[in-house]
Amino acid sequence: MITKYITAVSTAFSPFNARSGKTVRNFLALLPPNARSKMAIDVKMFGQREAEKPASLSLTFKDGKEMAMDLEKMKLKDIQTEVDRHSRTLRRVEELSG
Amino acid sequence: MPPRLRLNALRTTQPRTTHYVCNQCRHASLATTPSAPIEQHSLPAAATAVIARHPPTQPPSYKPPEFRKSQLHRQYQSTLRSSPLILLFQHNNLKATEWSGIRRELTTALHKVDDDLAKSGAGDAGVKVGNGVKLQIVQTGIFASALKVVEFWDPSFAGTTSAQDTTPTPAQALGAKHGLSNDAYLAAKKHAKTQKHGLEPLLSGPLALLTFPDVSPQHLKAALSILSPGLDFPAPKRRVNPGYHAKPVQDGLQKLMLLGARVDGKVFDTQGARWVGSIDGGLGGLRAQLVAMLSGIGAGVTSTLEAAGRSLYFAVEGRRGMLEEEEKAASGLKEGEQKEESPSASSN
């Protein structure tokens, strides 16, 4: 996953929700080690009792685009595809602009 | 021509199994297991029903024991059984310097708690819980499997023989009572389909454990104030602990997420773990509170029962006192009258 063009990540989830919890956690694990200095990461965790509360994941890119992921329908692979798609366009723009 | 040797006459032993064993395997356990025919001559049939075909130090396991994952499985089973308090964290690409910084801060904080407890005399004599606390990364898949075995497989040692009786049962002889055995694997697999231990959703992605050898809320409080500080467990101030606010430690701590806890086999979430840490005075204090509450209940019951008798006693005593006063007053008046009469009589 190309993470170079992400500027902010904001999530809210319960680790006890097998579906959304695993997706969000594995997404956070994909961020590179120096990511924290370059992007603002905001994680809000619900408890065991609020496991059924809908989870949210939203990203902001360098060009200002905000992408909110629907965690009910998307799995980690789908999220990666979405992020890569937008990042590749930004990468092309960057290469062309020199 | 008939055979020279009458094999039927010579056959006094039990027929050997037709299982072919290569030369290497046959001689691998030569030191520990004697050769079959001699044993079968001397001992009764029941005892020779099973002969161990493996060294006693290496009973058969479901996966090959020389794999690292088998040894990790054993280690994780041991950790799960010996640590009543385990915190689960997710670690997101922490660097080695960050890990070493975090572990350094953690050990300093825990040793401080140990020293405080030793000084105040509240802790168990000489037992330093802080020394046994460990922050380790675990292989999630193998940890999940080990957790299943620990939760769902129960090696019932009830049928274990006493010291005198050394006749091995078939299961024991085949070494089926350890966590890596086929039995353990099958039992865990079977029960995992129907039962749940509660930690299943957490077992995904990179996992790190903080294990405590004893449930000690004071140590837990110190660990949480370092690893996942908040309003209830404030982080040490910069002036007091400048090492904590160094860049590697702070960067690393941002990448650690507390997921949940396993306390005495029960699953707690972040809030629950913080609640356990906020128990004042540790488990000793909690026990003292319980004792005080129970004795308070006893005192309350006895005082309620006594109250009726006590109030009656006081009422009677009070009435008796009043009567005595009245008597005294009446007798005093009479004396006074008599005295008045006699001087008046004498004066007349």
Side-chain angles (χ1 to χ4, degrees):
Chain A
M1 190 172 78
I2 307 167
T3 55
K4 198 168 148 196
Y5 302 100
I6 301 175
T7 54
V9 177
S10 166
T11 66
F13 68 101
S14 165
F16 287 90
N17 183 331
R19 205 185 180 290
S20 52
K22 283 190 196 179
T23 314
V24 176
R25 282 172 51 208
N26 286 315
F27 177 82
L28 291 170
L30 287 172
L31 300 173
N34 294 322
R36 301 273 162 160
S37 53
K38 299 198 181 80
M39 50 176 100
I41 299 178
D42 166 45
V43 176
K44 189 170 167 343
M45 255 201 265
F46 305 145
Q48 203 170 3
R49 262 162 248 136
E50 296 142 335
E52 297 309 316
K53 220 160 141 183
S56 64
L57 169 65
S58 67
L59 311 172
T60 319
F61 287 85
K62 232 178 220 174
D63 60 348
K65 166 145 189 205
E66 282 198 24
M67 210 184 267
M69 309 288 174
D70 179 12
L71 293 165
E72 306 301 316
K73 294 200 197 96
M74 295 174 93
K75 293 198 185 157
L76 188 59
K77 203 87 192 288
D78 306 328
I79 296 175
Q80 280 182 317
T81 323
E82 286 291 319
V83 169
D84 281 347
R85 189 183 301 142
H86 193 71
S87 300
R88 261 182 263 120
T89 58
L90 290 177
R91 190 202 275 168
R92 216 166 292 127
V93 165
E94 201 183 315
E95 280 172 10
L96 288 173
S97 64
Chain B
M1 277 177 66
R4 185 171 60 82
L5 299 167
R6 303 282 168 189
L7 290 173
N8 280 335
L10 282 176
R11 195 194 292 278
T12 50
T13 67
Q14 286 179 13
R16 226 179 283 184
T17 57
T18 50
H19 173 65
Y20 172 70
V21 181
C22 73
N23 245 339
Q24 273 188 340
C25 296
R26 195 178 304 155
H27 296 293
S29 56
L30 205 57
T32 50
T33 45
S35 59
I38 299 168
E39 228 181 31
Q40 284 170 341
H41 268 300
S42 48
L43 297 172
T48 59
V50 176
I51 297 162
R53 296 189 185 281
H54 57 81
T57 49
Q58 188 137 76
S61 70
Y62 174 65
K63 286 273 174 150
E66 62 267 16
F67 283 3
R68 180 163 181 258
K69 64 177 163 186
S70 301
Q71 298 310 317
L72 282 180
H73 201 277
R74 286 181 72 196
Q75 282 176 26
Y76 295 162
Q77 283 180 50
S78 163
T79 309
L80 285 164
R81 289 197 178 104
S82 61
S83 313
L85 174 57
I86 302 179
L87 292 179
L88 286 95
F89 288 89
Q90 172 163 335
H91 64 98
N92 299 320
N93 296 318
L94 271 93
K95 298 197 213 176
T97 53
E98 293 165 3
W99 274 120
S100 59
I102 289 171
R103 286 195 175 109
R104 182 193 69 223
E105 290 307 315
L106 194 59
T107 43
T108 339
L110 290 169
H111 284 161
K112 192 156 165 292
V113 173
D114 275 336
D115 293 338
D116 289 342
L117 283 177
K119 254 186 244 169
S120 69
D124 293 335
V127 173
K128 295 208 174 228
V129 174
N131 284 345
V133 175
K134 193 172 168 193
L135 179 58
Q136 59 179 354
I137 298 174
V138 294
Q139 303 298 316
T140 316
I142 299 173
F143 181 73
S145 173
L147 184 56
K148 268 192 237 167
V149 169
V150 165
E151 291 279 338
F152 303 137
W153 174 68
D154 177 32
S156 48
F157 291 112
T160 323
T161 56
S162 61
Q164 284 82 33
D165 184 8
T166 51
T167 321
T169 59
Q172 278 177 342
L174 293 172
K177 293 262 187 200
H178 65 292
L180 288 180
S181 62
N182 225 1
D183 281 1
Y185 165 73
L186 290 171
K189 190 171 156 191
K190 190 175 99 175
H191 291 296
K193 286 185 189 150
T194 45
Q195 299 172 26
K196 292 220 172 289
H197 51 71
L199 278 178
E200 283 98 351
L202 302 185
L203 298 175
S204 162
L207 217 59
L209 303 182
L210 180 65
T211 54
F212 292 75
D214 195 16
V215 182
S216 161
Q218 296 102 324
H219 290 89
L220 179 57
K221 183 172 177 176
L224 284 174
S225 64
I226 297 278
L227 295 174
S228 108
L231 289 165
D232 42 0
F233 302 114
K237 300 270 182 239
R238 198 177 282 265
R239 207 167 297 172
V240 174
N241 193 344
Y244 178 78
H245 292 272
K247 190 167 189 310
V249 178
Q250 287 298 311
D251 283 349
L253 289 172
Q254 280 175 358
K255 297 188 241 181
L256 271 182
M257 291 166 22
L258 176 63
L259 300 172
R262 181 177 185 262
V263 186
D264 281 338
K266 289 188 199 54
V267 176
F268 288 76
D269 58 359
T270 324
Q271 241 179 349
R274 295 186 111 88
W275 172 78
V276 174
S278 65
I279 295 174
D280 270 335
L283 283 189
L286 204 60
R287 279 190 208 109
Q289 280 181 29
L290 188 65
V291 165
M293 198 170 69
L294 288 173
S295 55
I297 287 173
V301 164
T302 46
S303 65
T304 313
L305 291 172
E306 276 180 357
R310 200 184 297 138
S311 59
L312 183 64
Y313 171 77
F314 281 139
V316 165
E317 282 295 310
R319 184 70 187 138
R320 196 197 307 164
M322 272 171 60
L323 287 171
E324 280 173 5
E325 276 179 24
E326 277 176 21
E327 263 189 46
K328 271 191 208 154
S331 59
L333 270 172
K334 276 193 199 156
E335 278 180 13
E337 279 176 8
Q338 280 174 0
K339 277 191 193 148
E340 278 177 11
E341 280 178 9
S342 44
S344 62
S346 60
S347 66
N348 284 350

